[in-house]
Amino acid sequence: MKEYLLSIYQPDDTPPPDNLDEIMRDLYALNDEMRAAGAWVFAAGLHAPSTATVVRAQGNDMLVTDGPYIETKEHIGGFTVIQAADLDEALDWGKKMAAVITLPIEVRPLADH
């Protein structure tokens, strides 16, 4: 089985939807469904991009800066790592997640380790 990253993209500076409790309930149910199917590996939400710190090598020095690496209109708000037989199966889980949380989901295979 290959592993895939399901990245949740959300708009910056947008208040949470009024039905956030319902969305989270449905997301927990989807996580349970993925666990039961043997697909779920790990999931986590992330704090706002403003909490990020970037470490960059510059010659022999390290430059540390506040804020996200890239200024964008969207950011990764959370992610799930799954196991799937192939991309089609991973996309099926991504579609279910997009339906539950009503945000774009990027499905990307993890490099073999």
Side-chain angles (χ1 to χ4, degrees):
M1 290 269 222
K2 286 190 79 151
E3 292 182 332
Y4 292 84
L5 177 67
L6 308 181
S7 300
I8 301 166
Y9 283 89
Q10 60 190 81
D12 286 343
D13 301 324
T14 301
D18 292 336
N19 63 337
L20 183 60
D21 290 341
E22 177 184 335
I23 289 170
M24 293 309 295
R25 182 196 68 224
D26 292 347
L27 181 58
Y28 293 139
L30 178 60
N31 286 342
D32 288 341
E33 181 183 347
M34 285 190 266
R35 282 185 189 96
W40 191 90
V41 175
F42 179 78
L46 300 172
H47 286 280
S50 60
T51 65
T53 304
V54 178
V55 180
R56 180 176 300 141
Q58 284 195 323
N60 292 331
D61 295 327
M62 291 293 154
L63 177 64
V64 178
T65 57
D66 292 335
Y69 176 67
I70 299 174
E71 295 290 334
T72 63
K73 294 181 181 180
E74 293 181 323
H75 63 276
I76 296 177
F79 62 89
T80 300
V81 175
I82 62 167
Q83 292 181 343
D86 54 30
L87 178 59
D88 289 336
E89 184 179 326
L91 288 172
D92 287 341
W93 289 117
K95 290 173 186 176
K96 288 181 179 187
M97 185 174 286
V100 165
I101 63 174
T102 67
L103 292 170
I105 305 297
E106 178 182 84
V107 178
R108 187 185 302 187
L110 271 63
D112 294 333
H113 44 289

